[in-house]
Amino acid sequence: GLRTLLLASRKSGNSLQLRPVLGVQYDPSAGWHAGLVIRTPAATLHRSGQYSADGTLHVGAVSRGLSIFDNEAKFTYKMPWEFQVGVAYTGNRVQAEFDVQQLTGLPSYILLGSGNPLVTYNDDDEGGPPTVQTRPFDGLSSGARPITNFAVGGHYQLSADHSYMLHAGFTTDHSPVHSNDQVFDKVDLNAWTIGVSGKASKLLFAAGLNVRTGESGDIHVRDLLNGEPVLTSIKIKTTALIYSLAYEF
């Protein structure tokens, strides 16, 4: 028979946080440099949240629905420890750098919760009043998995007599999102960059190409009122051409 589903939901959260950043740099020689940056978990100064959902499922003459609204939902956003270590070399014609980023994980927690109940109703079209029930709202959970990203890049002067330089780099951007996260989507990205720059007489120029690719696995969009999951996936591929021209008078 004919089935009709109407579902609308809205969730939002705002948080004002204070997150200390600590850093140190060490230069063992004129050409070698090393650095360390530490970002601590954040302290929340102010937060606010909102959550609402309404859904109706019609299967023939049978109707089922749910509803919840909380304009003062509890929004809790946690950030993990973050460590970044970098090593760089600077020579006469070569500059290169290698960086590693490490994020610690977070156990699953309720990102957006509410003390208001979830109201459900069921009308079997048997002539009686609909059945209305309430149950606690479990909230929307989130968390983070430990991940490691790295980036490498550098410049090479093609000739000692000219300023023409070749630039290249590669970086990873792995998502810390858990596969069962109910708020954020997990997409891992990789990016490549290559370019040239230099000066010809009074003309300064630079041109580069950046390619970014990534994809997710199955993303759980939501569950239908009958419990059937709705899945999708995301694929990302972007190509950017970057250029700059300047003339000295």
Side-chain angles (χ1 to χ4, degrees):
L2 179 63
R3 298 195 303 173
T4 303
L5 172 66
L6 299 176
L7 186 62
S9 65
R10 183 179 185 274
K11 51 183 177 286
S12 65
N14 296 282
S15 181
L16 176 63
Q17 296 183 323
L18 177 65
R19 192 182 191 192
V21 179
L22 308 174
V24 63
Q25 181 172 320
Y26 174 63
D27 301 324
S29 66
W32 287 96
H33 314 277
L36 169 66
V37 175
I38 300 176
R39 292 180 172 87
T40 70
T44 300
L45 305 179
H46 175 75
R47 62 188 179 187
S48 63
Q50 183 184 71
Y51 182 75
S52 63
D54 288 284
T56 303
L57 174 65
H58 295 281
V59 182
V62 177
S63 299
R64 295 183 177 91
L66 62 82
S67 178
I68 183 175
F69 175 78
D70 191 348
N71 199 37
E72 296 181 354
K74 183 179 180 181
F75 178 70
T76 304
Y77 182 66
K78 297 183 179 181
M79 303 186 72
W81 285 87
E82 180 181 345
F83 303 91
Q84 291 186 350
V85 179
V87 178
Y89 172 76
T90 302
N92 293 331
R93 295 171 56 187
V94 176
Q95 295 180 353
E97 182 174 349
F98 179 75
D99 299 321
V100 177
Q101 178 197 47
Q102 176 68 48
L103 298 179
T104 62
L106 288 172
S108 180
Y109 68 97
I110 301 301
L111 177 68
L112 189 62
S114 173
N116 293 352
L118 183 67
V119 180
T120 62
Y121 68 86
N122 182 37
D123 186 354
D124 293 330
D125 192 35
E126 295 180 352
T131 302
V132 180
Q133 296 179 329
T134 61
R135 60 181 176 87
F137 175 58
D138 295 332
L140 303 178
S141 65
S142 184
R145 62 191 181 103
I147 57 100
T148 302
N149 288 311
F150 71 89
V152 59
H155 317 283
Y156 176 69
Q157 188 174 351
L158 298 177
S159 173
D161 300 329
H162 299 281
S163 62
Y164 304 138
M165 300 190 69
L166 177 67
H167 311 268
F170 173 78
T171 182
T172 65
D173 188 5
H174 297 149
S175 172
V177 175
H178 276 301
S179 58
N180 59 348
D181 198 294
Q182 295 180 307
V183 179
F184 302 108
D185 297 325
K186 175 180 173 291
V187 181
D188 294 329
L189 300 174
N190 295 319
W192 298 262
T193 302
I194 188 170
V196 294
S197 66
K199 180 179 180 182
S201 184
K202 294 186 176 183
L203 179 66
L204 289 81
F205 67 90
L209 184 69
N210 176 266
V211 178
R212 185 180 297 267
T213 61
E215 62 179 302
S216 68
D218 289 335
I219 295 177
H220 184 201
V221 179
R222 66 176 74 250
D223 288 329
L224 301 181
L225 297 183
N226 60 3
E228 181 181 351
V230 178
L231 304 177
T232 187
S233 62
I234 298 174
K235 289 187 177 181
I236 298 175
K237 184 174 182 181
T238 63
T239 303
L241 177 63
I242 307 167
Y243 65 91
S244 173
L245 293 174
Y247 186 81
E248 292 182 342
F249 291 95

